mmCIF file of all heavy atoms in Angstrom:
data_model
loop_
_atom_site.group_PDB
_atom_site.id
_atom_site.type_symbol
_atom_site.label_atom_id
_atom_site.label_comp_id
_atom_site.label_asym_id
_atom_site.label_seq_id
_atom_site.Cartn_x
_atom_site.Cartn_y
_atom_site.Cartn_z
ATOM 1 N N GLN A 31 112.881 147.819 82.974
ATOM 2 C CA GLN A 31 113.547 146.913 83.872
ATOM 3 C C GLN A 31 112.791 146.830 85.191
ATOM 4 O O GLN A 31 112.043 147.739 85.542
ATOM 5 C CB GLN A 31 114.986 147.353 84.129
ATOM 6 C CG GLN A 31 115.877 147.277 82.917
ATOM 7 C CD GLN A 31 117.323 147.588 83.264
ATOM 8 O OE1 GLN A 31 117.620 148.040 84.362
ATOM 9 N NE2 GLN A 31 118.212 147.357 82.325
ATOM 10 N N VAL A 32 113.006 145.740 85.880
ATOM 11 C CA VAL A 32 112.409 145.509 87.179
ATOM 12 C C VAL A 32 113.521 145.174 88.152
ATOM 13 O O VAL A 32 114.411 144.363 87.851
ATOM 14 C CB VAL A 32 111.372 144.368 87.132
ATOM 15 C CG1 VAL A 32 110.837 144.070 88.528
ATOM 16 C CG2 VAL A 32 110.234 144.726 86.188
ATOM 17 N N GLN A 33 113.468 145.790 89.312
ATOM 18 C CA GLN A 33 114.409 145.492 90.369
ATOM 19 C C GLN A 33 113.662 144.804 91.507
ATOM 20 O O GLN A 33 112.562 145.216 91.874
ATOM 21 C CB GLN A 33 115.091 146.759 90.883
ATOM 22 C CG GLN A 33 115.961 147.468 89.850
ATOM 23 C CD GLN A 33 115.146 148.315 88.891
ATOM 24 O OE1 GLN A 33 114.251 149.062 89.296
ATOM 25 N NE2 GLN A 33 115.452 148.198 87.602
ATOM 26 N N LEU A 34 114.265 143.779 92.056
ATOM 27 C CA LEU A 34 113.641 142.980 93.094
ATOM 28 C C LEU A 34 114.586 142.869 94.277
ATOM 29 O O LEU A 34 115.772 142.589 94.106
ATOM 30 C CB LEU A 34 113.319 141.574 92.575
ATOM 31 C CG LEU A 34 112.471 141.490 91.308
ATOM 32 C CD1 LEU A 34 112.427 140.050 90.807
ATOM 33 C CD2 LEU A 34 111.065 142.001 91.581
ATOM 34 N N VAL A 35 114.046 143.073 95.459
ATOM 35 C CA VAL A 35 114.823 142.957 96.685
ATOM 36 C C VAL A 35 114.059 142.082 97.657
ATOM 37 O O VAL A 35 112.961 142.442 98.090
ATOM 38 C CB VAL A 35 115.116 144.326 97.319
ATOM 39 C CG1 VAL A 35 115.913 144.147 98.607
ATOM 40 C CG2 VAL A 35 115.877 145.214 96.345
ATOM 41 N N GLU A 36 114.643 140.940 98.004
ATOM 42 C CA GLU A 36 114.026 140.030 98.956
ATOM 43 C C GLU A 36 114.473 140.361 100.375
ATOM 44 O O GLU A 36 115.578 140.866 100.590
ATOM 45 C CB GLU A 36 114.383 138.568 98.653
ATOM 46 C CG GLU A 36 113.976 138.090 97.279
ATOM 47 C CD GLU A 36 115.141 138.044 96.322
ATOM 48 O OE1 GLU A 36 116.043 138.910 96.430
ATOM 49 O OE2 GLU A 36 115.167 137.143 95.467
ATOM 50 N N SER A 37 113.621 140.023 101.313
ATOM 51 C CA SER A 37 113.959 140.148 102.716
ATOM 52 C C SER A 37 113.095 139.178 103.508
ATOM 53 O O SER A 37 112.133 138.617 102.986
ATOM 54 C CB SER A 37 113.762 141.580 103.215
ATOM 55 O OG SER A 37 112.407 141.977 103.111
ATOM 56 N N GLY A 38 113.443 138.994 104.759
ATOM 57 C CA GLY A 38 112.628 138.196 105.649
ATOM 58 C C GLY A 38 113.165 136.820 105.966
ATOM 59 O O GLY A 38 112.580 136.107 106.790
ATOM 60 N N GLY A 39 114.250 136.434 105.336
ATOM 61 C CA GLY A 39 114.824 135.141 105.640
ATOM 62 C C GLY A 39 115.441 135.116 107.024
ATOM 63 O O GLY A 39 115.613 136.140 107.677
ATOM 64 N N GLY A 40 115.774 133.927 107.459
ATOM 65 C CA GLY A 40 116.374 133.773 108.765
ATOM 66 C C GLY A 40 116.416 132.329 109.182
ATOM 67 O O GLY A 40 116.231 131.414 108.375
ATOM 68 N N LEU A 41 116.659 132.138 110.457
ATOM 69 C CA LEU A 41 116.766 130.812 111.053
ATOM 70 C C LEU A 41 115.546 130.559 111.914
ATOM 71 O O LEU A 41 115.224 131.364 112.799
ATOM 72 C CB LEU A 41 118.038 130.717 111.894
ATOM 73 C CG LEU A 41 118.231 129.454 112.720
ATOM 74 C CD1 LEU A 41 118.378 128.236 111.808
ATOM 75 C CD2 LEU A 41 119.435 129.603 113.628
ATOM 76 N N VAL A 42 114.870 129.456 111.650
ATOM 77 C CA VAL A 42 113.706 129.063 112.437
ATOM 78 C C VAL A 42 113.782 127.574 112.731
ATOM 79 O O VAL A 42 114.475 126.821 112.044
ATOM 80 C CB VAL A 42 112.375 129.379 111.729
ATOM 81 C CG1 VAL A 42 112.221 130.876 111.519
ATOM 82 C CG2 VAL A 42 112.291 128.642 110.402
ATOM 83 N N GLN A 43 113.059 127.166 113.755
ATOM 84 C CA GLN A 43 112.948 125.756 114.060
ATOM 85 C C GLN A 43 111.863 125.108 113.216
ATOM 86 O O GLN A 43 110.932 125.776 112.747
ATOM 87 C CB GLN A 43 112.638 125.554 115.539
ATOM 88 C CG GLN A 43 113.760 125.942 116.472
ATOM 89 C CD GLN A 43 113.693 125.194 117.771
ATOM 90 O OE1 GLN A 43 113.956 123.993 117.821
ATOM 91 N NE2 GLN A 43 113.327 125.905 118.827
ATOM 92 N N ALA A 44 111.996 123.815 113.019
ATOM 93 C CA ALA A 44 110.973 123.068 112.299
ATOM 94 C C ALA A 44 109.610 123.306 112.934
ATOM 95 O O ALA A 44 109.476 123.315 114.160
ATOM 96 C CB ALA A 44 111.305 121.585 112.293
ATOM 97 N N GLY A 45 108.629 123.491 112.082
ATOM 98 C CA GLY A 45 107.290 123.810 112.539
ATOM 99 C C GLY A 45 107.007 125.289 112.649
ATOM 100 O O GLY A 45 105.842 125.679 112.807
ATOM 101 N N GLY A 46 108.037 126.095 112.549
ATOM 102 C CA GLY A 46 107.874 127.529 112.648
ATOM 103 C C GLY A 46 107.460 128.155 111.341
ATOM 104 O O GLY A 46 107.205 127.475 110.340
ATOM 105 N N SER A 47 107.421 129.481 111.351
ATOM 106 C CA SER A 47 106.958 130.241 110.199
ATOM 107 C C SER A 47 107.893 131.393 109.896
ATOM 108 O O SER A 47 108.556 131.933 110.782
ATOM 109 C CB SER A 47 105.555 130.808 110.458
ATOM 110 O OG SER A 47 104.604 129.786 110.654
ATOM 111 N N LEU A 48 107.936 131.751 108.641
ATOM 112 C CA LEU A 48 108.625 132.941 108.176
ATOM 113 C C LEU A 48 107.788 133.574 107.078
ATOM 114 O O LEU A 48 107.058 132.882 106.370
ATOM 115 C CB LEU A 48 110.008 132.628 107.611
ATOM 116 C CG LEU A 48 111.169 132.386 108.574
ATOM 117 C CD1 LEU A 48 112.404 131.966 107.782
ATOM 118 C CD2 LEU A 48 111.469 133.620 109.399
ATOM 119 N N ARG A 49 107.933 134.872 106.941
ATOM 120 C CA ARG A 49 107.285 135.595 105.860
ATOM 121 C C ARG A 49 108.349 136.324 105.060
ATOM 122 O O ARG A 49 109.005 137.240 105.569
ATOM 123 C CB ARG A 49 106.268 136.590 106.398
ATOM 124 C CG ARG A 49 105.415 137.258 105.325
ATOM 125 C CD ARG A 49 104.686 138.444 105.908
ATOM 126 N NE ARG A 49 103.644 138.957 105.041
ATOM 127 C CZ ARG A 49 103.228 140.218 105.050
ATOM 128 N NH1 ARG A 49 103.757 141.094 105.901
ATOM 129 N NH2 ARG A 49 102.263 140.605 104.227
ATOM 130 N N LEU A 50 108.511 135.915 103.824
ATOM 131 C CA LEU A 50 109.449 136.559 102.931
ATOM 132 C C LEU A 50 108.752 137.676 102.165
ATOM 133 O O LEU A 50 107.574 137.574 101.827
ATOM 134 C CB LEU A 50 110.031 135.557 101.934
ATOM 135 C CG LEU A 50 110.691 134.310 102.512
ATOM 136 C CD1 LEU A 50 111.283 133.475 101.384
ATOM 137 C CD2 LEU A 50 111.744 134.669 103.542
ATOM 138 N N SER A 51 109.502 138.721 101.893
ATOM 139 C CA SER A 51 108.990 139.837 101.120
ATOM 140 C C SER A 51 109.866 140.060 99.904
ATOM 141 O O SER A 51 111.086 139.869 99.959
ATOM 142 C CB SER A 51 108.959 141.122 101.954
ATOM 143 O OG SER A 51 108.104 140.994 103.059
ATOM 144 N N CYS A 52 109.258 140.470 98.828
ATOM 145 C CA CYS A 52 109.965 140.836 97.609
ATOM 146 C C CYS A 52 109.427 142.178 97.159
ATOM 147 O O CYS A 52 108.280 142.269 96.700
ATOM 148 C CB CYS A 52 109.768 139.774 96.529
ATOM 149 S SG CYS A 52 110.478 140.213 94.922
ATOM 150 N N ALA A 53 110.236 143.202 97.305
ATOM 151 C CA ALA A 53 109.849 144.543 96.901
ATOM 152 C C ALA A 53 110.280 144.776 95.462
ATOM 153 O O ALA A 53 111.462 144.654 95.138
ATOM 154 C CB ALA A 53 110.475 145.577 97.822
ATOM 155 N N ALA A 54 109.328 145.100 94.628
ATOM 156 C CA ALA A 54 109.581 145.317 93.211
ATOM 157 C C ALA A 54 109.540 146.803 92.897
ATOM 158 O O ALA A 54 108.708 147.546 93.424
ATOM 159 C CB ALA A 54 108.552 144.572 92.363
ATOM 160 N N SER A 55 110.428 147.214 92.038
ATOM 161 C CA SER A 55 110.435 148.580 91.559
ATOM 162 C C SER A 55 110.787 148.587 90.078
ATOM 163 O O SER A 55 111.240 147.586 89.531
ATOM 164 C CB SER A 55 111.419 149.446 92.352
ATOM 165 O OG SER A 55 112.743 148.951 92.224
ATOM 166 N N GLY A 56 110.582 149.718 89.450
ATOM 167 C CA GLY A 56 110.798 149.817 88.022
ATOM 168 C C GLY A 56 109.488 149.667 87.273
ATOM 169 O O GLY A 56 108.451 150.159 87.714
ATOM 170 N N LYS A 57 109.543 148.952 86.179
ATOM 171 C CA LYS A 57 108.370 148.795 85.324
ATOM 172 C C LYS A 57 107.498 147.652 85.821
ATOM 173 O O LYS A 57 107.313 146.639 85.143
ATOM 174 C CB LYS A 57 108.804 148.576 83.879
ATOM 175 C CG LYS A 57 109.531 149.769 83.280
ATOM 176 C CD LYS A 57 109.872 149.531 81.823
ATOM 177 C CE LYS A 57 110.555 150.743 81.218
ATOM 178 N NZ LYS A 57 110.887 150.524 79.793
ATOM 179 N N ILE A 58 106.945 147.842 87.011
ATOM 180 C CA ILE A 58 106.170 146.762 87.612
ATOM 181 C C ILE A 58 104.886 146.490 86.843
ATOM 182 O O ILE A 58 104.340 145.392 86.938
ATOM 183 C CB ILE A 58 105.868 147.046 89.089
ATOM 184 C CG1 ILE A 58 105.090 148.352 89.242
ATOM 185 C CG2 ILE A 58 107.162 147.091 89.894
ATOM 186 C CD1 ILE A 58 104.651 148.620 90.671
ATOM 187 N N PHE A 59 104.423 147.453 86.077
ATOM 188 C CA PHE A 59 103.218 147.243 85.288
ATOM 189 C C PHE A 59 103.429 146.216 84.192
ATOM 190 O O PHE A 59 102.463 145.685 83.643
ATOM 191 C CB PHE A 59 102.746 148.563 84.672
ATOM 192 C CG PHE A 59 103.762 149.225 83.798
ATOM 193 C CD1 PHE A 59 103.879 148.892 82.463
ATOM 194 C CD2 PHE A 59 104.611 150.191 84.311
ATOM 195 C CE1 PHE A 59 104.823 149.497 81.647
ATOM 196 C CE2 PHE A 59 105.561 150.811 83.515
ATOM 197 C CZ PHE A 59 105.665 150.456 82.175
ATOM 198 N N SER A 60 104.668 145.950 83.865
ATOM 199 C CA SER A 60 104.981 145.004 82.803
ATOM 200 C C SER A 60 105.101 143.569 83.293
ATOM 201 O O SER A 60 105.323 142.673 82.479
ATOM 202 C CB SER A 60 106.284 145.405 82.106
ATOM 203 O OG SER A 60 107.397 145.264 82.972
ATOM 204 N N ILE A 61 104.950 143.352 84.578
ATOM 205 C CA ILE A 61 105.144 142.018 85.138
ATOM 206 C C ILE A 61 103.942 141.137 84.811
ATOM 207 O O ILE A 61 102.809 141.464 85.139
ATOM 208 C CB ILE A 61 105.365 142.080 86.653
ATOM 209 C CG1 ILE A 61 106.632 142.875 86.964
ATOM 210 C CG2 ILE A 61 105.458 140.672 87.241
ATOM 211 C CD1 ILE A 61 106.861 143.120 88.442
ATOM 212 N N ASN A 62 104.210 140.020 84.179
ATOM 213 C CA ASN A 62 103.165 139.050 83.876
ATOM 214 C C ASN A 62 102.879 138.128 85.052
ATOM 215 O O ASN A 62 101.740 137.732 85.276
ATOM 216 C CB ASN A 62 103.556 138.212 82.665
ATOM 217 C CG ASN A 62 103.719 139.042 81.416
ATOM 218 O OD1 ASN A 62 102.874 139.878 81.100
ATOM 219 N ND2 ASN A 62 104.806 138.816 80.693
ATOM 220 N N ALA A 63 103.921 137.796 85.767
ATOM 221 C CA ALA A 63 103.795 136.924 86.917
ATOM 222 C C ALA A 63 105.011 137.125 87.802
ATOM 223 O O ALA A 63 106.072 137.543 87.334
ATOM 224 C CB ALA A 63 103.684 135.454 86.504
ATOM 225 N N MET A 64 104.840 136.823 89.063
ATOM 226 C CA MET A 64 105.964 136.804 89.976
ATOM 227 C C MET A 64 106.032 135.436 90.621
ATOM 228 O O MET A 64 105.003 134.802 90.855
ATOM 229 C CB MET A 64 105.871 137.908 91.027
ATOM 230 C CG MET A 64 105.953 139.288 90.415
ATOM 231 S SD MET A 64 106.199 140.609 91.613
ATOM 232 C CE MET A 64 107.891 140.280 92.140
ATOM 233 N N ARG A 65 107.237 135.006 90.881
ATOM 234 C CA ARG A 65 107.459 133.664 91.381
ATOM 235 C C ARG A 65 108.492 133.678 92.493
ATOM 236 O O ARG A 65 109.341 134.557 92.571
ATOM 237 C CB ARG A 65 107.941 132.742 90.247
ATOM 238 C CG ARG A 65 106.954 132.573 89.112
ATOM 239 C CD ARG A 65 107.529 131.713 87.997
ATOM 240 N NE ARG A 65 106.528 131.406 86.977
ATOM 241 C CZ ARG A 65 106.316 132.147 85.890
ATOM 242 N NH1 ARG A 65 107.037 133.233 85.658
ATOM 243 N NH2 ARG A 65 105.372 131.787 85.020
ATOM 244 N N TRP A 66 108.371 132.695 93.329
ATOM 245 C CA TRP A 66 109.407 132.388 94.290
ATOM 246 C C TRP A 66 110.051 131.068 93.894
ATOM 247 O O TRP A 66 109.355 130.071 93.651
ATOM 248 C CB TRP A 66 108.852 132.280 95.708
ATOM 249 C CG TRP A 66 108.507 133.590 96.337
ATOM 250 C CD1 TRP A 66 107.287 134.174 96.386
ATOM 251 C CD2 TRP A 66 109.406 134.460 97.021
ATOM 252 N NE1 TRP A 66 107.355 135.365 97.073
ATOM 253 C CE2 TRP A 66 108.645 135.566 97.462
ATOM 254 C CE3 TRP A 66 110.773 134.417 97.308
ATOM 255 C CZ2 TRP A 66 109.209 136.626 98.178
ATOM 256 C CZ3 TRP A 66 111.335 135.467 98.013
ATOM 257 C CH2 TRP A 66 110.559 136.558 98.438
ATOM 258 N N TYR A 67 111.355 131.086 93.814
ATOM 259 C CA TYR A 67 112.160 129.900 93.620
ATOM 260 C C TYR A 67 113.012 129.684 94.862
ATOM 261 O O TYR A 67 113.207 130.598 95.670
ATOM 262 C CB TYR A 67 113.088 130.042 92.415
ATOM 263 C CG TYR A 67 112.438 129.958 91.059
ATOM 264 C CD1 TYR A 67 111.809 131.054 90.493
ATOM 265 C CD2 TYR A 67 112.486 128.772 90.320
ATOM 266 C CE1 TYR A 67 111.233 130.981 89.233
ATOM 267 C CE2 TYR A 67 111.918 128.691 89.061
ATOM 268 C CZ TYR A 67 111.298 129.805 88.524
ATOM 269 O OH TYR A 67 110.739 129.728 87.265
ATOM 270 N N ARG A 68 113.531 128.499 94.976
ATOM 271 C CA ARG A 68 114.505 128.246 96.016
ATOM 272 C C ARG A 68 115.560 127.285 95.492
ATOM 273 O O ARG A 68 115.320 126.507 94.579
ATOM 274 C CB ARG A 68 113.861 127.678 97.281
ATOM 275 C CG ARG A 68 113.276 126.286 97.127
ATOM 276 C CD ARG A 68 112.531 125.893 98.391
ATOM 277 N NE ARG A 68 112.009 124.536 98.317
ATOM 278 C CZ ARG A 68 111.215 124.004 99.222
ATOM 279 N NH1 ARG A 68 110.837 124.707 100.293
ATOM 280 N NH2 ARG A 68 110.786 122.747 99.084
ATOM 281 N N GLN A 69 116.722 127.372 96.077
ATOM 282 C CA GLN A 69 117.809 126.490 95.720
ATOM 283 C C GLN A 69 118.562 126.097 96.977
ATOM 284 O O GLN A 69 119.106 126.953 97.679
ATOM 285 C CB GLN A 69 118.755 127.135 94.715
ATOM 286 C CG GLN A 69 119.788 126.171 94.166
ATOM 287 C CD GLN A 69 120.454 126.690 92.913
ATOM 288 O OE1 GLN A 69 120.522 127.898 92.690
ATOM 289 N NE2 GLN A 69 120.934 125.786 92.084
ATOM 290 N N ALA A 70 118.576 124.808 97.238
ATOM 291 C CA ALA A 70 119.305 124.261 98.359
ATOM 292 C C ALA A 70 120.682 123.824 97.890
ATOM 293 O O ALA A 70 120.887 123.546 96.699
ATOM 294 C CB ALA A 70 118.546 123.082 98.964
ATOM 295 N N PRO A 71 121.643 123.749 98.804
ATOM 296 C CA PRO A 71 122.986 123.319 98.397
ATOM 297 C C PRO A 71 122.966 121.967 97.700
ATOM 298 O O PRO A 71 122.357 121.016 98.182
ATOM 299 C CB PRO A 71 123.740 123.254 99.728
ATOM 300 C CG PRO A 71 123.029 124.218 100.614
ATOM 301 C CD PRO A 71 121.584 124.105 100.231
ATOM 302 N N GLY A 72 123.623 121.901 96.562
ATOM 303 C CA GLY A 72 123.717 120.664 95.818
ATOM 304 C C GLY A 72 122.479 120.266 95.063
ATOM 305 O O GLY A 72 122.448 119.168 94.494
ATOM 306 N N LYS A 73 121.476 121.111 95.044
ATOM 307 C CA LYS A 73 120.227 120.788 94.378
ATOM 308 C C LYS A 73 119.900 121.828 93.323
ATOM 309 O O LYS A 73 120.395 122.961 93.356
ATOM 310 C CB LYS A 73 119.082 120.685 95.388
ATOM 311 C CG LYS A 73 119.267 119.575 96.410
ATOM 312 C CD LYS A 73 118.034 119.393 97.250
ATOM 313 C CE LYS A 73 118.232 118.272 98.257
ATOM 314 N NZ LYS A 73 118.433 116.969 97.574
ATOM 315 N N GLN A 74 119.069 121.421 92.383
ATOM 316 C CA GLN A 74 118.634 122.334 91.336
ATOM 317 C C GLN A 74 117.651 123.354 91.895
ATOM 318 O O GLN A 74 116.979 123.120 92.902
ATOM 319 C CB GLN A 74 117.985 121.559 90.191
ATOM 320 C CG GLN A 74 118.940 120.666 89.419
ATOM 321 C CD GLN A 74 118.263 119.994 88.244
ATOM 322 O OE1 GLN A 74 117.036 119.899 88.182
ATOM 323 N NE2 GLN A 74 119.062 119.529 87.310
ATOM 324 N N ARG A 75 117.588 124.485 91.225
ATOM 325 C CA ARG A 75 116.625 125.500 91.601
ATOM 326 C C ARG A 75 115.212 124.958 91.410
ATOM 327 O O ARG A 75 114.898 124.330 90.392
ATOM 328 C CB ARG A 75 116.845 126.756 90.776
ATOM 329 C CG ARG A 75 115.903 127.898 91.110
ATOM 330 C CD ARG A 75 116.343 129.185 90.434
ATOM 331 N NE ARG A 75 117.558 129.724 91.050
ATOM 332 C CZ ARG A 75 118.159 130.834 90.640
ATOM 333 N NH1 ARG A 75 117.669 131.521 89.615
ATOM 334 N NH2 ARG A 75 119.247 131.253 91.256
ATOM 335 N N GLU A 76 114.361 125.210 92.382
ATOM 336 C CA GLU A 76 113.016 124.668 92.421
ATOM 337 C C GLU A 76 111.996 125.798 92.427
ATOM 338 O O GLU A 76 112.127 126.757 93.196
ATOM 339 C CB GLU A 76 112.838 123.798 93.672
ATOM 340 C CG GLU A 76 111.433 123.268 93.891
ATOM 341 C CD GLU A 76 111.281 122.583 95.237
ATOM 342 O OE1 GLU A 76 112.181 122.729 96.086
ATOM 343 O OE2 GLU A 76 110.262 121.891 95.431
ATOM 344 N N LEU A 77 110.990 125.669 91.594
ATOM 345 C CA LEU A 77 109.892 126.630 91.597
ATOM 346 C C LEU A 77 108.991 126.351 92.787
ATOM 347 O O LEU A 77 108.455 125.250 92.924
ATOM 348 C CB LEU A 77 109.106 126.542 90.292
ATOM 349 C CG LEU A 77 107.870 127.432 90.180
ATOM 350 C CD1 LEU A 77 108.233 128.905 90.316
ATOM 351 C CD2 LEU A 77 107.155 127.181 88.858
#
């Protein structure tokens, strides 16, 4: 199994920057790929 914990989100103004982190633990050697998705209210999840 793999456990994932995201952090780094917040509120920024347009034009600004953020750095998100995803800490993985468990069987990380088995990971073929890692991805970031997002989902906005009322919208489908986006890769």
Side-chain angles (χ1 to χ4, degrees):
Q31 294 186 350
V32 176
Q33 296 80 46
L34 305 171
V35 179
E36 301 102 326
S37 62
L41 173 65
V42 297
Q43 292 206 71
S47 298
L48 281 175
R49 188 194 192 207
L50 305 183
S51 298
C52 174
S55 61
K57 296 183 178 180
I58 59 175
F59 58 86
S60 67
I61 298 174
N62 298 313
M64 295 192 70
R65 298 177 173 91
W66 285 96
Y67 286 82
R68 67 186 183 187
Q69 188 164 25
K73 297 188 179 296
Q74 293 184 341
R75 181 170 289 179
E76 175 188 13
L77 176 60

